[in-house]
Amino acid sequence: MNKPMASPAVERGPHQITIRIYYEDTDFSGLVYHASYLRFMERGRSELLRGLGLHQRELLEGSNGTPFFFVVRAMDIDFKKPALMDDLLTIETRVAEVGGASVLLEQSVLREAELLVQAAVTVVCVENRKAKRLPANVRSRFLSS
Amino acid sequence: MNKPMASPAVERGPHQITIRIYYEDTDFSGLVYHASYLRFMERGRSELLRGLGLHQRELLEGSNGTPFFFVVRAMDIDFKKPALMDDLLTIETRVAEVGGASVLLEQSVLREAELLVQAAVTVVCVENRKAKRLPANVRSRFLSS
Amino acid sequence: MNKPMASPAVERGPHQITIRIYYEDTDFSGLVYHASYLRFMERGRSELLRGLGLHQRELLEGSNGTPFFFVVRAMDIDFKKPALMDDLLTIETRVAEVGGASVLLEQSVLREAELLVQAAVTVVCVENRKAKRLPANVRSRFLSS
Amino acid sequence: MNKPMASPAVERGPHQITIRIYYEDTDFSGLVYHASYLRFMERGRSELLRGLGLHQRELLEGSNGTPFFFVVRAMDIDFKKPALMDDLLTIETRVAEVGGASVLLEQSVLREAELLVQAAVTVVCVENRKAKRLPANVRSRFLSS
């Protein structure tokens, strides 16, 4: 009898959210202010975590044992094309690598098919103001994402 | 013969959007930063305008004739209860009064049934850096809202 | 022997700080984004507190006994004229009234002599998420301001 | 006859500004929100430009001929240590490389001697929404910085 094959890597796309550009996101050049994209990408990471069942307020309040939260350790960003007021953007987030205390995420900001901003973002798990190993249950959720 | 009655006031609710609270919206007190609610209410007004067919980038670019945009002239705000990280809020916006060059809006921020913030907001129509009468087609859309 | 007279009310001006307008403060209309003025006024209140020897991080960490902080309870704002990129503004803050648990402040944003924004701001003292009487030493500093 | 020697490279330090951390800069983790450092670094670049006689509003309004402004094209950032409410920080900015249409800046955020954030920032000169050669007088000012 045929043993079922190891499940083929399911080709899953990245996690996606859509966001609308408002006044608050723009600056006097008429374009979106560069730091606004970091806010959008943080929303994408927060929604990815929420999708994994990780609620950041609860984590900070200690729902998972010791209170912890994630901080951004490093970002490498390309601002390729500007977004504009009223644009509807897609934020894509992909878990690229799960380390001991850190997670590397690849994020993109798109306007339909057009790639506007691309970033590699390293976040680390912080407990009592120190980097610390990802709790096992958090780690496993990232690996499954 | 029965004269048709004046159309009874249709009981319409206020315009609503929902927004999620992210890191960017909070401050070190653990609560949402007070000025963040103004950003949320501006999103509510922008979506109300969009619903009326008024796209602010296009208006500023002159799609309606002379380029114009809205500015906030006055706000009267009560911050009743704080919102927190991860909260899902509803922003309600109601056109209370349409003046010659200005519109008075009543806005509320709610977490489910709980009223967190309430504001009266006066916006004016600006053209060439001067307050100016609402264009007739804009005015009529506000009146119909 | 002559008892010294109660010191006559010294006519002091309001507390002042100056701030520069940067990209982050503006929006695509070319003007300063309306919620930015709330950030500027909060800087003015923070510097007034600092001048009174009240450091907000320390207060939240409990340096004065029970941890507490101030929240904005209400604001009444007139946006009279817009500020622009590169402007140098003055934020004036005056303690108008010291209540049991609240303080009323009058704040102005000026570009040289020109009044751009004016606000009445009520802040309350919060401890364990509840409004609470101003600690006596905090109260006396406000009264002396 | 003695030819004057090439002027020896004057060992100048980087351009510096100091900034205070306010409520608006922090988030509910108790630390400074990561995107706030981009705002601080933009202030540093704006002040470096101002020191070179380049006023960005005037440049956008065409004071130098064709209207132009700078946009951030790429950033590589390390968030090494967090800043906190009430901190007084120094933003250092150094022109590392002046290209045809772009300038590479190295920026640091320090709390006294302690390095908190370090970034390499590429800005490009934009005219009519296209990258464009730095005007000669702008270029020479960067080279002299």
Side-chain angles (χ1 to χ4, degrees), chain D residues 10 18 39 45 86 89 93 97 108 121 129 144:
Chain D
V10 180
T18 58
R39 298 193 288 111
R45 295 192 302 275
D86 289 333
L89 306 181
T93 306
E97 219 178 288
S108 304
V121 183
R129 304 223 164 152
S144 76

Side-chain angles (χ1 to χ4, degrees), chain D residues 35-52:
Chain D
S36 299
Y37 299 103
L38 273 76
R39 298 193 288 111
F40 306 158
M41 292 191 286
E42 191 276 319
R43 296 181 202 171
R45 295 192 302 275
S46 281
E47 292 302 342
L48 176 135
L49 289 175
R50 195 187 320 283
L52 297 177

Side-chain angles (χ1 to χ4, degrees), chain A residues 20-24 39 42-43 46-47 50 55-58 69-70 84-87, chain B residues 20-24 39 42-43 46-47 50 55-58 69-70 84-87:
Chain A
R20 177 70 74 176
I21 298 300
Y22 295 110
Y23 266 101
E24 64 186 278
R39 299 193 288 110
E42 191 277 319
R43 295 181 202 171
S46 281
E47 292 302 342
R50 194 185 321 281
H55 300 275
Q56 294 178 92
R57 174 154 56 106
E58 294 175 4
F69 57 97
F70 294 98
L84 301 174
M85 177 69 181
D86 289 333
D87 276 352
Chain B
R20 176 71 74 177
I21 299 299
Y22 294 110
Y23 265 99
E24 64 186 276
R39 299 193 286 111
E42 190 277 318
R43 295 181 203 171
S46 281
E47 292 301 342
R50 194 187 319 284
H55 300 275
Q56 294 177 91
R57 175 155 53 107
E58 293 175 6
F69 56 98
F70 296 99
L84 301 173
M85 176 69 181
D86 288 335
D87 276 353

Side-chain angles (χ1 to χ4, degrees), chain D residues 76-97:
Chain D
D76 200 339
I77 318 169
D78 282 313
F79 301 93
K80 295 170 184 292
K81 291 180 185 173
L84 301 174
M85 177 70 181
D86 289 333
D87 276 352
L88 195 62
L89 306 181
T90 304
I91 314 300
E92 293 191 349
T93 306
R94 192 189 301 269
V95 176
E97 219 178 288

Side-chain angles (χ1 to χ4, degrees), chain D residues 44-63:
Chain D
R45 295 192 302 275
S46 281
E47 292 302 342
L48 176 135
L49 289 175
R50 195 187 320 283
L52 297 177
L54 298 168
H55 300 275
Q56 293 177 91
R57 173 154 55 108
E58 294 174 5
L59 292 174
L60 187 61
E61 287 170 351
S63 67

